[in-house]
Amino acid sequence: MLASFNWIKDFVDFKADAPELVRRLAMAGLESEILSQPGKGIDDHVVTAQILKIDKHPNADRLSLCEVQFNDEVSPVVCGANNMKAGDKVVLARPGAKLPGGLVIKVSKIRKVESQGMLCSESELGLADTSEGILILPPETPLGLPLTQALDLGDTILEIEVTPNRGDCLSIQGLSREVAANFHLPFKSNETPTFHEATGKSQVEVNVRSQERCGRYACRVLSGIKVGPSPQHVVRRLESCGIRAINNIVDATNYIMLETGQPLHAFDLKEIRRGQINIRTAESGEKMKTLDGIDRELNCEDLVIADGERILALAGVMGGEDSGVSEATTEILLESAWFQAGSVRKTARRLGLQTESSYRFERGVDPSGCVAAINRLTEVILEVAGGKVLGSTIDHYPDPVRPIEVTLRPSRIQRILGIALEAPEIMTPLQALGISGEAGKGGDYHFQIPTYRSDLNREIDLIEEVARLYGYDRIPATYPSIHLSELLQAKGNSFDQLDHIRTLLTGWGFHEVLHYSFTSHELLKKFSQEFSEEQSLLNPISEDQSVMRPALFPQMVQTLQSNVFKGNKDLRFFELRPVYRFDREGDGKRPFQESWHLCLGMSGARRSPHFLEKESATALKEFKGLTLLDLKGYLEALFHRCLPGIKIAEGPLNLPYFHPNRQMSLTLQTPGTQGETVAGGFMGRLHPAVLAEMDVPVPILIGEIYLDLFLTEWKNSIQFEEISPFPTIWRDINLIVDEKTPSGEVLRVIRAQGGLWLRRAELFDLYRGKPLEAGKKALTYRLEYGAKDRTLTDEEVNGSREKLLEQLKHTLGATLR
Amino acid sequence: MKEDLLKSLKSLTDDLDGSVQKVQTEAGLSELKATYLGKKGRLTEVLKGLGKLSSEDRPAVGAKANEIKNIIEGRLRSALESLQRQSIAKELAQDTFDISLPGRTEVVGNVHPISQIFAEARHIFEGLGFATCSGPEIEDDYHNFEALNIPADHPARDLQDTFYLKDGRWLLRTHTSTVQIHIMENQGAPVRMIAPGAVYRCDSDVTHTPMFHQIEGLWVDDRTTFGDLKGVLTLFIQQMFGDGTKVRFRPSFFPFTEPSAELDMSCHICAWKNPSCPVCKGTGWLEILGCGMVDPAVFQCVGYDPEKITGFAFGMGLERMAMIKFGINDLRLFFENDLRFLQQF
Ligand SMILES: [Zn+2]
């Protein structure tokens, strides 16, 4: 809320300046900052004055020449505005004045006519961001006063962040009470009002139909009032606290609300039909027009103030347009009531209508304060608008709220805060906040909680209050001791594994990226992602962020695209995040599955070449042209590093957004089973048509890996194999096979049939073209033979190789080249 | 006869010294070696006379011949080495190398700054005895609000505008405090855990992104006090941001802790020296995390006895910490994934 520094000073006579007050409030739990200092920079040469006469400027059509008086002298002033007339009270910046914007006023000649000063607008005075014409002051303004004095300027406006539990601080009085306690100063409450209370029949009959939701309803009629503008200092204070001035009656209700925290309302009495005020729930579909001019349809949950015929106001939220105070109003009904927080909140939320009133009711208004507030309001209105009280005041309060008592055990303070406090350290600050207490038998304290502190109703609430007032900074920091037996350090949690994957990937040049967990339906459709409608958000901020993603790669493609557009080259990205699936088959309790995926995205060169490599054309060629095999290589290495011993197999895939011949699935053998497999992920190169559509001129490679197995089987199967001291023997085999025979299949046969001594086999060369016949390819494999207990002879190795060649010929039709 | 042979042998070494000095190439030295020690070389020539000697003279002359051979070989070797040294020195004298040329390396990528901050925080907390846990991001109202002492229609819900999933029953967690409830529902005290993760709030502008990251912490046993909270979190901040970092604890409000506090750390940018510091707005303090003693209502919800069990909880934003630590001025950069941003960490 916005609060005036000077206004708080009306209630507490403290000496601190605004920055010090901000600091003190912060340490008391009220965060604030200095929002503005209206009038700052206006010096005493800026005074109130009156225009006696206005003539046209002899040499300029748009300018006027005014005769202005602020003391005995009359000064000529040239002015460019046209919103003033003779007799208006205005603001004159005399020669020598300096304005907040830095402008220094001098006697000057404007188009050959002397001007002894300037008539100021609100924006020139720094009182408003924009303004039209010069500032016209109320007619009763005395002449010749420094403006800061006349308008009660020189205030500081604080923006205070009041936490939801401290409804009592949503008023100047409430804040002042905190400030007083903080500075150890007395809090000056308002004096008892002195107006004449009337007797006789009340002008209205009040029926509260929902006692629970309207615990108190006080109202009073004033007659003979004159609606008009409020005094300037009231307007200033309201506006600097963010409330627009309307007229003296509405302004008074707002002013007293800011002062006391009690929302107040004034009805035009003649609009109240049949003399009835009924506090009831609306009927479903019932309509009303609120003060802001909007027609609202209500339902049977909304609490309203109605007369005998229609709805006058939304209880605690906003008044109605019809029953509001207008220029013609002479008799008013003032309302000061207590409405239940939840009731007000429901209506305000449903209608999207948060008002100063609803904000306060939601955070708790003190029901005990209703009458004091209406009395203060009455006093102020009688002062600014005249009139008198008509008929006796109604105060419907059948079940008054009583202060509750809370017991506080000193042992508990020590248990929670870790310090032992003496009685005065506990009692004195609480008493300063109006919380009185006494020590009972057994050393416990019993405190009476005033009704304005509805946030204090448990022992722990009082402990916090004690700590807050004692000062958190005075509670010494201590270091807890842990018994080793309690240490629950989760060794090797999945975060270690995720970090290990990060280490590997960054070592291979991949940068980690991070996308929102929600994306657009459109993007997921573009990449044929299936998902349940249950994964959509009910209230997304935009379509772009409307569905919980079932896969990572669509956004990865977008990120690669946007980086390409920004001119970033040679991209390698990875993302390591959960994806979301709605699963109806679940146990019913949590239908959503969240599982970790890894997505890799690559584009551009395999590696940007070093200048040394540019010297040799062949070396450069080697580093160009990223292929799917690059991505496959990284993924294979990742599996090999993290899940050693688990076999991976690639399988065919037919996804429309990938290049038809550059995509594959990965399947993992489930550990501990007989050949059962589980999906491990997939990869591919984006289809040229998809790239063209996205306007991306470079190939994009995408892989997405399911990490479930990574997290459960992490390096579970590492078994050391002894290193043989005997040398191994290398043999190449150069095979010719059908183009259709996958090289992986050849390798599988080699590994299966290579014999006991085959230690390693890898593809060494792939050749197509002459002298091979069409439809054939040559594959060279390099084989390593060795035994654990001796050096093999050439005959043994050759024999083994011959056997293998025979098998290859038999199973795959492979011939030796 | 014997004397003649010995004289001839001696003259070999004398002649060699003269020849070696004249030779300037390795080939010349090879030639010289052949001339003296080859099959038809001068040494062989001299030794032909050995057969004519008496059997008592032969051993002495033979030994001398061997000695001469070793001397010749040694001199030729050192001449060769000296030539090689000269030629290396000559080669090196001609070589130049620009040590300012760029080194050649593999490209290395970077871990996202949010992950880096988390990893750093995790290592500190694990070192202090916390275990790292996780919980679901798609939540029910109970775990996100009710069990944390935020009943329906409580104004505290305004602080956290919530995303709901289609059917209205499930929501995206607005804070990682949900994990507190999951963990305490499943185990008894003591509990010492941190839980990182994404959280979501229906808010998007210059200083808010609809998704961001938090670390939740919970330390619960039969003896923990507010003083311990101050000690542990001060240790954390000083390990994370440097020993000299000052902290202050300021009263605040969270429905699930009481007493509640905000922890401010000293502004490392201006250190109270710049009244118009853009980072701390001249206050010298940066708000870094929220914390407090676990509210007894939360303990009751998870079936702990609040008379026997006490503890503290805290939550902090990873983006905020990364912004402070790395001096990042725009929250949205974390999610834009521009290579020029990612490369800097
Ligand atoms: Zn600073």
Side-chain angles (χ1 to χ4, degrees):
Chain A
M1 84 171 250
L2 303 184
S4 146
F5 181 82
N6 288 352
W7 204 346
I8 294 173
K9 276 198 146 179
D10 289 352
F11 292 94
V12 200
D13 191 13
F14 63 95
K15 297 284 177 287
D17 60 2
E20 171 64 6
L21 180 65
V22 165
R23 202 190 63 78
R24 296 288 278 258
L25 286 175
M27 294 314 286
L30 289 160
E31 247 184 288
S32 62
E33 62 181 301
I34 294 171
L35 192 69
S36 64
Q37 296 180 291
K40 193 179 184 189
I42 299 178
D43 66 18
D44 285 355
H45 287 76
V46 179
V47 296
T48 57
Q50 185 170 29
I51 300 177
L52 299 180
K53 189 168 162 231
I54 304 180
D55 287 319
K56 278 193 105 176
H57 189 292
N59 305 324
D61 286 348
R62 295 242 182 113
L63 299 179
S64 308
L65 179 59
C66 304
E67 282 180 15
V68 181
Q69 182 180 29
F70 67 93
N71 53 15
D72 296 343
E73 286 173 48
V74 175
S75 319
V77 177
V78 175
C79 181
N82 50 22
N83 64 324
M84 67 287 188
K85 58 182 191 300
D88 277 350
K89 300 277 178 68
V90 294
V91 181
L92 173 67
R94 294 171 54 204
K98 196 176 171 194
L99 296 184
L103 183 65
V104 177
I105 306 298
K106 287 179 285 203
V107 177
S108 59
K109 284 213 165 152
I110 298 170
R111 298 231 175 173
K112 295 179 185 163
V113 174
E114 188 175 82
S115 180
Q116 296 183 2
M118 185 175 102
L119 302 181
C120 303
S121 69
E122 282 185 277
S123 58
E124 283 158 346
L125 293 167
L127 299 177
D129 291 336
T130 57
S131 54
E132 275 179 41
I134 58 168
L135 175 59
I136 309 291
L137 299 170
E140 66 274 13
T141 311
L143 293 188
L145 275 185
L147 182 71
T148 49
Q149 199 180 325
L151 290 187
D152 190 21
L153 295 173
D155 200 358
T156 298
I157 304 306
L158 304 175
E159 181 162 23
I160 302 183
E161 214 176 288
V162 178
T163 52
N165 58 326
R166 291 304 301 274
D168 67 298
C169 286
L170 293 173
S171 67
I172 299 298
Q173 284 186 342
L175 289 170
S176 302
R177 199 157 41 221
E178 277 291 323
V179 173
N182 206 285
F183 286 102
H184 310 293
L185 290 169
F187 166 68
K188 299 184 280 187
S189 46
N190 278 315
E191 282 161 29
T192 318
T194 52
F195 61 87
H196 281 288
E197 184 70 270
T199 52
K201 192 174 173 304
S202 319
Q203 296 294 298
V204 293
E205 170 194 331
V206 171
N207 304 299
V208 176
R209 306 258 168 80
S210 179
Q211 191 58 51
E212 192 196 340
R213 296 169 68 180
C214 173
R216 187 172 195 179
Y217 198 91
C219 60
R220 170 181 289 147
V221 169
L222 303 185
S223 69
I225 56 123
K226 189 173 179 310
V227 177
S230 288
Q232 196 62 31
H233 73 276
V234 170
V235 173
R236 280 278 153 233
R237 269 198 177 166
L238 284 179
E239 292 192 343
S240 58
C241 292
I243 292 179
R244 196 162 57 91
I246 312 261
N247 59 47
N248 52 3
I249 306 301
V250 175
D251 294 350
T253 60
N254 284 328
Y255 190 92
I256 302 303
M257 173 190 69
L258 290 181
E259 187 179 278
T260 63
Q262 168 68 51
L264 297 159
H265 190 65
F267 296 97
D268 187 335
L269 184 70
K270 81 174 184 303
E271 292 296 330
I272 298 176
R273 296 177 191 169
R274 299 193 197 177
Q276 280 181 18
I277 289 287
N278 299 321
I279 295 98
R280 60 168 171 89
T281 48
E283 276 158 40
S284 196
E286 212 175 347
K287 291 191 176 63
M288 75 166 296
K289 186 181 268 188
T290 42
L291 264 175
D292 51 9
I294 296 171
D295 285 303
R296 313 244 177 210
E297 188 174 315
L298 308 181
N299 70 25
C300 51
E301 295 246 303
D302 298 322
L303 191 72
V304 298
I305 316 297
D307 61 16
E309 295 173 11
R310 58 188 175 147
I311 296 176
L312 302 175
L314 283 171
V317 181
M318 193 180 261
E321 193 176 59
D322 298 342
S323 60
V325 173
S326 69
E327 297 281 307
T329 304
T330 56
E331 287 181 318
I332 52 175
L333 176 82
L334 301 178
E335 171 198 282
S336 177
W338 182 89
F339 302 110
Q340 189 195 42
S343 163
V344 171
R345 183 179 160 82
K346 237 177 228 156
T347 298
R349 293 283 287 187
R350 191 175 57 75
L351 298 175
L353 190 62
Q354 195 182 63
T355 61
E356 294 281 345
S357 167
S358 70
Y359 190 76
R360 285 175 172 77
F361 277 121
E362 283 183 39
R363 281 154 181 76
V365 164
D366 177 18
S368 310
C370 289
V371 167
I374 202 171
N375 286 346
R376 176 93 175 100
L377 177 64
T378 305
E379 184 183 48
V380 168
I381 290 179
L382 294 180
E383 190 186 314
V384 299
K388 61 178 176 46
V389 179
L390 185 64
S392 56
T393 299
I394 292 175
D395 180 19
H396 178 86
Y397 193 26
D399 188 10
V401 175
R402 311 233 172 268
I404 60 162
E405 193 186 280
V406 176
T407 301
L408 177 58
R409 295 166 290 172
S411 61
R412 197 67 191 158
I413 293 180
Q414 182 153 16
R415 184 73 198 282
I416 299 288
L417 302 181
I419 47 167
L421 294 179
E422 300 296 322
E425 290 170 317
I426 297 168
M427 310 276 281
T428 314
L430 286 175
Q431 267 155 4
L433 285 180
I435 304 165
S436 59
E438 53 186 23
K441 52 178 190 293
D444 295 350
Y445 301 97
H446 303 285
F447 286 98
Q448 298 277 319
I449 310 297
T451 51
Y452 53 79
R453 289 302 302 271
S454 58
D455 60 317
L456 303 178
N457 41 50
R458 301 173 301 167
E459 184 181 38
I460 191 75
D461 301 329
L462 277 182
I463 293 176
E464 175 175 63
E465 204 63 0
V466 166
R468 186 172 77 87
L469 296 166
Y470 181 74
Y472 283 7
D473 47 350
R474 290 172 62 200
I475 299 173
T478 49
Y479 301 101
S481 58
I482 331 175
H483 307 150
L484 281 180
S485 61
E486 295 173 341
L487 207 56
L488 293 171
Q489 171 80 344
K491 176 96 178 61
N493 55 47
S494 59
F495 297 97
D496 287 337
Q497 293 146 22
L498 297 174
D499 276 352
H500 190 87
I501 294 173
R502 285 189 177 97
T503 307
L504 285 173
L505 287 168
T506 51
W508 293 331
F510 288 84
H511 290 279
E512 187 180 15
V513 296
L514 196 58
H515 297 107
Y516 288 140
S517 303
F518 22 61
T519 183
S520 72
H521 284 73
E522 197 194 334
L523 184 69
L524 293 178
K525 284 209 182 86
K526 182 169 166 181
F527 290 104
S528 320
Q529 289 301 299
E530 283 174 21
F531 57 91
S532 160
E533 201 38 42
E534 311 282 334
Q535 282 175 242
S536 300
L537 296 183
L538 191 63
N539 55 338
I541 288 178
S542 65
E543 210 289 310
D544 278 357
Q545 305 171 357
S546 61
V547 51
M548 297 305 283
R549 54 180 173 173
L552 303 181
F553 78 91
Q555 285 153 293
M556 178 65 86
V557 172
Q558 280 187 325
T559 283
L560 289 166
Q561 180 196 30
S562 72
N563 271 281
V564 167
F565 287 172
K566 283 171 187 157
N568 298 332
K569 292 197 180 80
D570 305 335
L571 307 169
R572 286 181 195 203
F573 290 146
F574 75 98
E575 186 174 22
L576 203 51
R577 302 289 290 185
V579 300
Y580 312 86
R581 286 242 170 242
F582 178 78
D583 181 8
R584 212 173 285 280
E585 309 298 314
D587 57 3
K589 195 171 166 276
R590 282 193 177 267
F592 292 95
Q593 285 189 352
E594 297 172 26
S595 45
W596 284 82
H597 278 200
L598 166 67
C599 179
L600 299 189
M602 300 174 80
S603 174
R606 185 169 183 271
R607 173 154 90 78
S608 37
H610 189 262
F611 81 97
L612 291 176
E613 286 145 9
K614 285 202 169 135
E615 292 169 358
S616 139
T618 50
L620 182 60
K621 205 168 138 197
E622 190 188 329
F623 292 108
K624 265 185 170 170
L626 200 56
T627 75
L628 190 57
L629 293 181
D630 289 298
L631 182 54
K632 188 188 179 199
Y634 288 121
L635 288 178
E636 280 174 341
L638 189 71
F639 278 105
H640 181 71
R641 298 283 304 182
C642 303
L643 299 175
I646 291 189
K647 290 215 174 72
I648 332 162
E650 57 274 352
L653 197 61
N654 189 21
L655 295 173
Y657 42 87
F658 281 152
H659 187 301
N661 296 324
R662 299 284 187 282
Q663 50 177 311
M664 68 182 87
S665 66
L666 290 178
T667 310
L668 306 179
Q669 188 189 76
T670 317
T673 65
Q674 293 300 316
E676 272 176 46
T677 59
V678 60
F682 59 90
M683 71 185 96
R685 175 173 168 166
L686 277 199
H687 197 290
V690 174
L691 281 177
E693 194 188 315
M694 287 177 12
D695 219 7
V696 171
V698 286
I700 284 180
L701 298 165
I702 288 292
E704 182 145 348
I705 298 300
Y706 317 137
L707 290 181
D708 295 346
L709 217 53
F710 275 72
L711 304 183
T712 55
E713 296 300 321
W714 186 262
K715 289 191 174 176
N716 260 354
S717 44
I718 292 183
Q719 278 298 321
F720 170 69
E721 192 187 330
E722 222 175 302
I723 300 160
S724 166
F726 302 99
T728 55
I729 295 175
W730 292 87
R731 289 288 181 272
D732 285 357
I733 51 171
N734 194 346
L735 302 166
I736 298 171
V737 293
D738 256 17
E739 185 64 74
K740 289 198 188 82
T741 308
S743 68
E745 184 58 18
V746 179
L747 194 59
R748 199 188 59 77
V749 173
I750 291 174
R751 283 181 178 149
Q753 308 292 337
L756 210 58
W757 296 319
L758 181 68
R759 308 194 60 76
R760 201 144 50 122
E762 52 201 30
L763 182 64
F764 184 63
D765 194 18
L766 165 64
Y767 180 77
R768 291 186 181 92
K770 284 179 180 167
L772 301 181
E773 49 186 291
K776 296 280 185 187
K777 62 185 172 190
L779 298 167
T780 309
Y781 291 89
R782 179 154 282 188
L783 312 180
E784 185 184 15
Y785 291 94
K788 284 180 181 165
D789 50 353
R790 63 196 168 86
T791 306
L792 295 174
T793 63
D794 278 351
E795 291 72 37
E796 285 171 323
V797 172
N798 291 344
S800 177
R801 180 171 172 273
E802 288 307 316
K803 257 191 224 155
L804 173 60
L805 288 172
E806 226 154 87
Q807 283 292 338
L808 286 165
K809 188 169 186 179
H810 179 68
T811 48
L812 299 172
T815 54
L816 200 60
R817 191 176 166 198
Chain B
M1 198 61 194
K2 177 186 167 195
E3 261 59 49
D4 288 347
L5 271 179
L6 286 174
K7 206 172 155 199
S8 302
L9 282 172
K10 175 134 193 336
S11 73
L12 281 183
T13 56
D14 294 346
D15 293 356
L16 180 71
D17 284 347
S19 318
V20 161
Q21 275 171 10
K22 287 179 201 136
V23 174
Q24 292 300 328
T25 63
E26 287 184 37
L29 283 175
S30 301
E31 242 170 69
L32 212 54
K33 190 174 181 182
T35 310
Y36 283 84
L37 303 176
K39 277 184 184 148
K40 289 173 183 166
R42 287 179 61 184
L43 181 64
T44 316
E45 212 52 44
V46 172
L47 292 180
K48 276 182 184 165
L50 207 59
K52 294 170 190 162
L53 287 184
S54 63
S55 56
E56 53 266 34
D57 283 344
R58 219 176 280 163
V61 177
K64 185 68 187 172
N66 219 23
E67 185 190 320
I68 291 296
K69 187 187 173 209
N70 285 341
I71 289 171
I72 293 174
E73 276 178 344
R75 291 200 179 151
L76 286 172
R77 204 182 308 119
S78 66
L80 179 64
E81 279 167 8
S82 151
L83 267 187
Q84 278 170 343
R85 268 199 303 277
Q86 279 169 29
S87 102
I88 287 171
K90 201 172 150 200
E91 207 173 292
L92 292 184
Q94 284 163 0
D95 181 63
T96 60
F97 183 72
D98 178 357
I99 55 169
S100 69
L101 285 172
R104 175 158 45 167
T105 178
E106 297 304 314
V107 183
V108 175
N110 291 327
V111 172
H112 195 280
I114 295 297
S115 302
Q116 287 189 33
I117 290 286
F118 168 57
E120 198 173 341
R122 179 162 79 91
H123 291 137
I124 296 169
F125 281 123
E126 288 183 353
L128 289 170
F130 289 83
T132 307
C133 303
S134 54
E137 294 176 19
I138 299 177
E139 267 293 359
D140 52 21
D141 190 88
Y142 178 78
H143 287 87
N144 198 72
F145 292 120
E146 287 210 19
L148 290 162
N149 200 28
I150 314 171
D153 279 326
H154 191 279
R157 290 202 179 193
D158 286 355
L159 302 174
Q160 305 180 0
D161 274 334
T162 312
F163 283 114
Y164 287 90
L165 281 111
K166 211 68 176 189
D167 82 342
R169 282 188 311 128
W170 297 88
L171 52 83
L172 302 185
R173 66 178 177 191
T174 58
H175 45 199
T176 42
S177 309
T178 53
V179 187
Q180 288 185 26
I181 304 301
H182 287 293
I183 299 296
M184 289 195 285
E185 273 174 345
N186 288 321
Q187 71 170 76
V191 175
R192 298 184 183 105
M193 66 103 188
I194 57 161
V199 299
Y200 305 87
R201 289 181 200 172
C202 218
D203 212 346
S204 187
D205 56 40
V206 181
T207 53
H208 297 89
T209 47
M211 178 178 101
F212 55 102
H213 297 81
Q214 287 185 333
I215 297 181
E216 189 72 13
L218 183 68
W219 180 289
V220 163
D221 56 27
D222 56 3
R223 57 188 178 272
T224 294
T225 67
F226 190 82
D228 296 336
L229 172 158
K230 286 186 69 175
V232 169
L233 292 179
T234 304
L235 265 183
F236 167 72
I237 292 293
Q238 290 178 343
Q239 289 198 33
M240 192 80 189
F241 294 98
D243 283 345
T245 312
K246 293 193 171 54
V247 298
R248 72 171 184 188
F249 291 79
R250 182 159 59 67
S252 188
F253 169 75
F254 306 105
F256 39 95
T257 53
E258 187 144 18
S260 302
E262 294 272 4
L263 195 168
D264 296 339
M265 57 175 252
S266 49
C267 174
H268 63 303
I269 298 290
C270 73
W272 286 286
K273 288 193 183 92
N274 178 6
S276 52
C277 171
V279 179
C280 66
K281 293 180 188 159
T283 63
W285 293 105
L286 299 172
E287 204 173 301
I288 188 79
L289 62 83
C291 53
M293 300 299 288
V294 178
D295 195 291
V298 174
F299 282 143
Q300 268 156 0
C301 259
V302 297
Y304 286 16
D305 181 353
E307 281 294 307
K308 295 196 176 112
I309 300 296
T310 56
F312 62 84
F314 55 90
M316 62 189 97
L318 289 174
E319 281 80 0
R320 171 131 183 100
M321 284 203 285
M323 288 172 89
I324 289 174
K325 191 137 186 157
F326 298 125
I328 297 167
N329 56 5
D330 187 345
L331 176 65
R332 292 166 299 187
L333 288 170
F334 290 114
F335 302 95
E336 279 171 7
N337 300 315
D338 187 329
L339 182 64
R340 294 165 297 180
F341 172 79
L342 299 168
Q343 275 173 335
Q344 296 187 34
F345 300 96

